[in-house]
Amino acid sequence: MPVPTPMLRLRSVSARSSAGTGIRAVSFEVRRGSVHGILGENLSGSSELLAALSGYLSVTEGVLELDGVPTVFAGHAEAEAAGVAVVRGRPSVVPHLTVAENVFLGRERAVRGFVKFDRLHSETTAILAQLGAGATVKAARPAGDLTPAERWVVELARAIVAERRVLLLDEPFSGLDAPGLALVGVAISRAAADGMTIIVATHRIDQLRRIAESVTVLSRGIAVETLERDSAQGQRSGHDGGAGEGASGSWGDVTTQRLIGYMTANVRVTRRVLHESIEPGPVVLAVKDWSAFDPIEATHAVVRHASLSVRRGEIVGLAGLEGSGIAELALSLFGRSWGSSSSGAIEVNGRPLAAKNPQESIAGGLSLSTDANVKYDLQLLGGIPSRISASMLARLARLGFVDRGRDYETAAPAFGLGGISELVGGRGGKGAGPGAGAAGAPGGRVSAGEQRHREALELWLGQPEGVRPAVVILDHPTRGANALGVQQLRDLIVELAASGTGVLLASADLDELLVMTTRVYTLFEGRVTAEIDTRTATPQSLLARMIGPA
């Protein structure tokens, strides 16, 4: 019996982003009408892989085959024309349109110039039933009332209407509650059963066990293992990380510990920096029962009852995979700069700090450096939120009024896009393109985020004791920096800690957390899951507390 041609096949595919990250010689294949998982930690290369498959990144080596035909996409428009599309982050909807109008948005079928909305609704109802969501999501419902999970269902319905052959989903389970996870999981499985080929990039091992027929595990851009649900042996892609000698049985039976070993196979922990001789002093930052709520869905807590402490001269880490809430925690602690609201208590040097804005936070001894613009949600013009960069109000204002168009052009590229948009255009602002501001770019250019962190660290180090902050929060300070830039930033951080400032370091890099900190708080879906002494920790033990249920 002839073997069916895979819908998607990668043969030693390599690609590199403007941020200097990428994938190397990745090979696997995906059957038509199946769900294939991409599993990896923060720097695994999964976003770069999806970007390469969807035309956002150019394939530099190897062969990508679509339905048996070698394919080269000149851009994402060509990929979409070929039936390949990617969805990342929170699915977007037009809130004042119905679900049906959102599903068919841009693809309305007019008869003599008129759209028959009754047919639009009936076709949408049939598609929602096909996805197993007919009882939950109604075609006539305003899209603005949908939950995050229901918005993912709308995204899958759009893919059916658009006749996508391959759909790439980046972290579709992030931030969903148990009913939402079930709803999205069923919808993905139903869409695949009807012939769509779906690739899901996620760190949620528990969800992939339920829906994926096969999974490829990435570690730092290399495919370590590809496992089939119904095969007796995984396909080893080759690595030297000592993760084991293959996985016997179906992939669903492979232990979580073994999968974590694959995910960290290429994580290399460099020697620890020489800051352990610093004797931590008294507690300079105490956070108790802190919660922060989503800026749009004000009832959804992104950070949930977090408590932590930082001592004088200590570097403490915040560790979590995408959607864990570490960045939101860092930003919300700084003058409530993120979220619709927050609750809990902050103490700096033993004194309560109830800062309502960044200026009050700085005055109280707590400062922040971030590569994302800190913003406020101001309910202007009938409730339409305008996100204003705290550090840029003066530049955006004209005669006391904020130029909303100027705000968008200046601030939007550096906040809320992330992932594939970030990979292609860098985290710089206006004008950043492939290679602009990228780590390792020709001419040794420095990214806007790296420069921002460097300037903040040098500013604090130049301040006299008594003026220098008691504690600083660093939000992913080395993200996007090349090797030299990373080392220089780490040296500045250690120097700042040695001067007596407490440092709370949010980072996506397991190596950085193990090298730079003495303690790490791990988060999963907004909750602190552990406090870990990193002096005896390993990448595997750290990731195990970040991964959530399996």
Side-chain angles (χ1 to χ4, degrees):
M1 184 174 179
V3 178
T5 301
M7 173 54 73
L8 191 68
R9 178 185 281 135
L10 285 75
R11 299 181 186 273
S12 299
V13 169
S14 298
R16 189 171 180 83
S17 75
S18 64
T21 55
I23 54 174
R24 289 179 287 163
V26 171
S27 299
F28 64 85
E29 59 185 46
V30 186
R31 291 187 294 274
R32 185 188 317 273
S34 69
V35 178
H36 184 83
I38 303 295
L39 184 62
E41 46 92 30
N42 289 316
L43 303 180
S44 65
S46 60
S47 289
E48 290 88 342
L49 174 60
L50 296 193
L53 294 177
S54 56
Y56 282 90
L57 282 183
S58 298
V59 172
T60 56
E61 294 180 7
V63 178
L64 170 64
E65 294 182 7
L66 184 63
D67 202 10
V69 179
T71 303
V72 177
F73 296 132
H76 65 91
E78 281 193 11
E80 291 189 4
V84 181
V86 64
V87 182
R88 188 201 178 276
R90 187 197 304 264
S92 59
V93 296
V94 181
H96 300 300
L97 298 182
T98 65
V99 167
E101 290 164 342
N102 271 274
V103 167
F104 281 89
L105 190 64
R107 300 180 185 276
E108 300 87 350
R109 298 164 187 170
V111 177
R112 295 175 182 171
F114 294 94
V115 176
K116 293 191 173 182
F117 287 97
D118 54 346
R119 189 172 76 177
L120 204 71
H121 282 220
S122 64
E123 290 183 7
T124 300
T125 298
I127 293 172
L128 295 172
Q130 176 183 339
L131 294 173
T136 307
V137 186
K138 301 298 182 181
R141 185 175 167 189
D145 295 341
L146 297 176
T147 66
E150 291 166 344
R151 294 186 181 204
W152 275 106
V153 172
V154 169
E155 202 65 62
L156 288 162
R158 286 171 171 164
I160 291 173
V161 171
E163 299 180 344
R164 301 297 187 204
R165 294 194 289 170
V166 178
L167 186 63
L168 314 171
L169 305 179
D170 197 354
E171 293 293 349
F173 305 115
S174 180
L176 302 186
D177 57 15
L181 291 171
L183 182 69
V184 173
V186 167
I188 291 172
S189 297
R190 292 283 191 92
D194 287 333
M196 190 182 299
T197 302
I198 301 179
I199 296 179
V200 178
T202 183
H203 61 268
R204 291 295 300 261
I205 297 174
D206 59 330
Q207 299 307 310
L208 288 181
R209 289 194 194 279
R210 293 188 177 102
I211 66 171
E213 296 179 24
S214 56
V215 62
T216 294
V217 187
L218 297 181
S219 179
R220 302 298 163 108
I222 297 174
V224 175
E225 197 83 22
T226 293
L227 302 163
E228 301 286 340
R229 184 179 295 280
D230 56 359
S231 70
Q233 183 75 18
Q235 304 171 22
R236 179 168 292 286
S237 299
H239 68 85
D240 58 0
E245 293 302 324
S248 60
S250 68
W251 99 258
D253 295 329
V254 178
T255 65
T256 298
Q257 182 179 5
R258 186 181 289 272
L259 291 171
I260 289 173
Y262 294 153
M263 293 164 71
T264 56
N266 296 311
V267 177
R268 298 288 182 265
V269 180
T270 54
R271 67 176 180 84
R272 295 182 65 86
V273 295
L274 300 177
H275 69 282
E276 292 182 349
S277 59
I278 302 172
E279 189 67 30
V283 172
V284 291
L285 174 66
V287 178
K288 301 175 183 178
D289 199 31
W290 188 262
S291 297
F293 294 84
D294 190 277
I296 298 176
E297 297 175 27
T299 60
H300 175 56
V302 178
V303 179
R304 307 177 188 185
H305 308 290
S307 297
L308 56 88
S309 65
V310 180
R311 293 181 176 275
R312 175 182 169 87
E314 186 180 29
I315 304 175
V316 176
L318 289 178
L321 298 171
E322 185 169 347
S324 65
I326 62 170
E328 291 83 356
L329 172 58
L331 294 176
S332 64
L333 291 175
F334 179 64
R336 303 176 187 268
S337 297
W338 183 92
S340 57
S341 63
S342 56
S343 63
I346 302 174
E347 292 182 1
V348 175
N349 279 330
R351 296 188 296 272
L353 177 65
K356 300 181 180 63
N357 54 57
Q359 289 77 13
E360 292 183 5
S361 183
I362 293 170
L366 174 63
S367 291
L368 167 81
S369 178
T370 177
D371 61 354
N373 284 337
V374 179
K375 302 175 182 185
Y376 301 95
D377 277 346
L378 305 180
Q379 297 302 316
L380 303 175
L381 299 182
I384 300 174
S386 174
R387 298 182 177 87
I388 310 300
S389 167
S391 63
M392 304 175 72
L393 285 173
R395 289 169 56 188
L396 299 173
R398 295 291 183 273
L399 301 177
F401 295 92
V402 172
D403 183 337
R404 291 162 57 87
R406 183 180 175 87
D407 166 31
Y408 177 82
E409 289 183 6
T410 307
F415 186 88
L417 295 177
I420 289 171
S421 299
E422 179 181 319
L423 291 172
V424 177
R427 286 191 76 91
K430 187 175 179 181
R445 294 180 182 178
V446 176
S447 70
E450 179 183 346
Q451 185 65 28
R452 203 177 298 180
H453 288 300
R454 187 187 303 274
E455 289 173 353
L457 289 164
E458 291 174 346
L459 171 67
W460 293 326
L461 284 167
Q463 293 174 332
E465 190 172 354
V467 177
R468 187 182 304 129
V471 60
V472 299
I473 300 172
L474 303 178
D475 178 26
H476 298 82
T478 62
R479 177 164 51 192
N482 60 19
L484 178 60
V486 167
Q487 190 55 55
Q488 291 173 342
L489 287 167
R490 289 178 179 178
D491 289 345
L492 289 171
I493 294 168
V494 172
E495 185 180 351
L496 183 64
S499 74
T501 295
V503 177
L504 185 61
L505 172 66
S507 177
D509 190 339
L510 295 176
D511 169 59
E512 180 163 87
L513 290 164
L514 292 172
V515 168
M516 292 291 292
T517 70
T518 52
R519 291 186 296 128
V520 164
Y521 292 93
T522 57
L523 273 74
F524 176 76
E525 294 193 344
R527 296 187 184 276
V528 174
T529 58
E531 178 184 351
I532 297 175
D533 184 339
T534 56
R535 291 170 290 190
T536 57
T538 65
Q540 292 79 15
S541 65
L542 186 56
L543 183 59
R545 303 313 298 265
M546 299 160 58
I547 205 73

